Amino acid sequence: MKKQTLNFWWPGYALAIGVGVSGGMPMAQAQEAWPSKPIRLVVGGPAGGSADALARLLAEGLQKKLSKPVIVENKPGAAGALAISDLQSNGKDGHTLLVIQGGVVSEAPLAYKVHYKPFADLKPLAQISRTGLVLVANKDVPISNLKQLVDYGKAQKDGLVFASYAAGLKGHTSGILLGQLTHVPMRHVGYKGSPPALNDLMGGHVPLMFDGVTTSLPLIKAGKIKAIALNYPTRIAALPDVPTFKELGYPQLAQAGWFAVWSRPDVAPAVQQKIREVTLAYFKQPEVQNHIKDMGMEEGGAATSEELMADLKQAYQQQSALLKSINYQPD
């Protein structure tokens, strides 16, 4: 019997499946076959972090919908490389997925020497939340808004010192860009993570910091540090009184990031589509969206994998230009 080829169309993909005597599973059956065993969500961050919280939220939703165990495993460190390596080794059938921020593609490869190909080895299937940075200040620094910060910085002989959670990442380059836009000299102090940087900020050792909203939010609400501006495109529910850089006249600093569920690019397209559909449906639920907002993030969108990758490529180019402007060399 002659083998026949049928073409099926899924959003973003054309898939040819052989059927006939030689076999070949129809797409509907391939999709129904997933999941056929427990699902692993590998997290590129520590327990208790933003990625971990989102992964555990997703695990709860997937277990309810798919009636299969969903296991969250943390693989922090090495700029996400350990988690990505796990995905590369175990993720071909779609039962191992990655929950991590888009910066593993747009930032980490420029800041560190990584052993993965950022735009070839990973594929974002569904955006689950938007996240971003907030410019925060020591509570005793005599400023309460961005204009006052700029005036204060220009009055200082050597400009301003600012901290970030890691050299070479967006918390670092946001301060560099702010200095370039306002003509205020900005001197960077890099830390290994947000906690030590925030401790020095509260202690008055550094006056300013670009930090993730999630980690700074409890300290802002407790009055231990003060928020100046956000890099989100619009104001967020967790900090409704804090303006964005965009509305303050600095749209170049509107560079919010996002978390997503990722797979290997070679996972069957039907499986990719099912993962995407189940994930987006769960994260559209109002109670889930409220939970995300309480964490200092905003709900994700329905962007396709291609749209998400285009966003990352644009962010990569901007990040690369900023790092070149200060002659930054990867560790």
Side-chain angles (χ1 to χ4, degrees):
M1 178 178 177
K2 185 179 179 180
K3 183 177 178 180
Q4 183 182 5
T5 298
L6 301 180
N7 290 318
F8 292 83
W9 176 259
W10 286 85
Y13 302 96
L15 177 64
I17 299 178
V19 296
V21 172
S22 60
M25 185 183 295
M27 178 172 288
Q29 289 180 330
Q31 187 163 342
E32 288 173 4
W34 185 93
S36 59
K37 60 184 179 181
I39 299 166
R40 296 174 64 240
L41 296 180
V42 181
V43 180
S50 299
D52 178 70
L54 290 169
R56 294 183 188 281
L57 190 62
L58 176 60
E60 180 181 344
L62 291 180
Q63 286 187 162
K64 290 179 181 177
K65 177 66 176 178
L66 302 173
S67 300
K68 289 286 185 182
V70 182
I71 304 160
V72 176
E73 295 187 19
N74 298 87
K75 296 287 179 76
L82 297 179
I84 292 168
S85 178
D86 190 311
L87 179 72
Q88 290 174 322
S89 299
N90 303 299
K92 189 172 183 179
D93 62 359
H95 288 86
T96 293
L97 302 169
L98 180 67
V99 178
I100 204 166
Q101 197 171 359
V104 298
V105 169
S106 62
E107 299 175 52
L110 294 166
Y112 310 105
K113 294 177 181 178
V114 300
H115 300 290
Y116 57 89
K117 298 175 183 178
F119 292 102
D121 293 342
L122 299 167
K123 185 171 185 178
L125 301 183
Q127 186 186 70
I128 55 178
S129 75
R130 289 186 298 120
T131 186
L133 302 180
V134 57
L135 175 60
V136 289
N138 175 276
K139 62 183 181 64
D140 296 324
V141 175
I143 55 111
S144 58
N145 57 53
L146 190 58
K147 183 181 183 305
Q148 290 177 0
L149 183 151
V150 172
D151 292 341
Y152 177 73
K154 289 180 176 179
Q156 307 304 305
K157 180 181 178 180
D158 298 318
L160 294 172
V161 174
F162 75 99
S164 79
Y165 46 83
L169 300 184
K170 195 174 288 185
H172 178 185
T173 55
S174 293
I176 298 300
L177 181 57
L178 178 62
Q180 293 175 354
L181 294 171
T182 61
H183 306 290
V184 174
M186 301 285 284
R187 292 179 290 124
H188 173 249
V189 179
Y191 288 79
K192 294 182 178 180
S194 287
L198 288 169
N199 284 336
D200 274 7
L201 181 72
M202 289 186 288
H205 302 293
V206 288
L208 302 168
M209 179 181 177
F210 275 91
D211 189 38
V213 173
T214 304
T215 46
S216 280
L217 184 61
L219 300 176
I220 295 169
K221 291 190 171 182
K224 295 181 178 180
I225 57 177
K226 48 190 174 185
I228 306 300
L230 294 157
N231 79 339
Y232 285 81
T234 59
R235 296 197 185 198
I236 64 173
L239 295 170
D241 298 325
V242 179
T244 67
F245 282 105
K246 183 177 180 180
E247 67 184 274
L248 294 172
Y250 300 96
Q252 303 93 327
L253 279 159
Q255 304 172 9
W258 40 264
F259 283 93
V261 177
W262 307 66
S263 75
R264 281 176 40 159
D266 58 354
V267 169
V271 174
Q272 292 184 29
Q273 182 67 14
K274 186 169 183 180
I275 294 166
R276 172 180 166 80
E277 289 174 353
V278 171
T279 300
L280 291 181
Y282 178 65
F283 276 88
K284 282 181 182 178
Q285 296 181 47
E287 61 271 24
V288 177
Q289 292 182 8
N290 289 336
H291 190 89
I292 288 173
K293 290 176 180 179
D294 289 342
M295 293 165 59
M297 293 182 275
E298 292 286 287
E299 62 189 83
T304 64
S305 295
E306 291 75 18
E307 289 169 338
L308 292 174
M309 273 301 192
D311 180 66
L312 291 175
K313 288 178 180 178
Q314 182 179 3
Y316 181 94
Q317 292 169 356
Q318 184 175 29
Q319 187 77 354
S320 178
L322 284 168
L323 291 175
K324 286 179 181 177
S325 75
I326 58 171
N327 297 314
Y328 181 87
Q329 297 298 318
D331 290 338

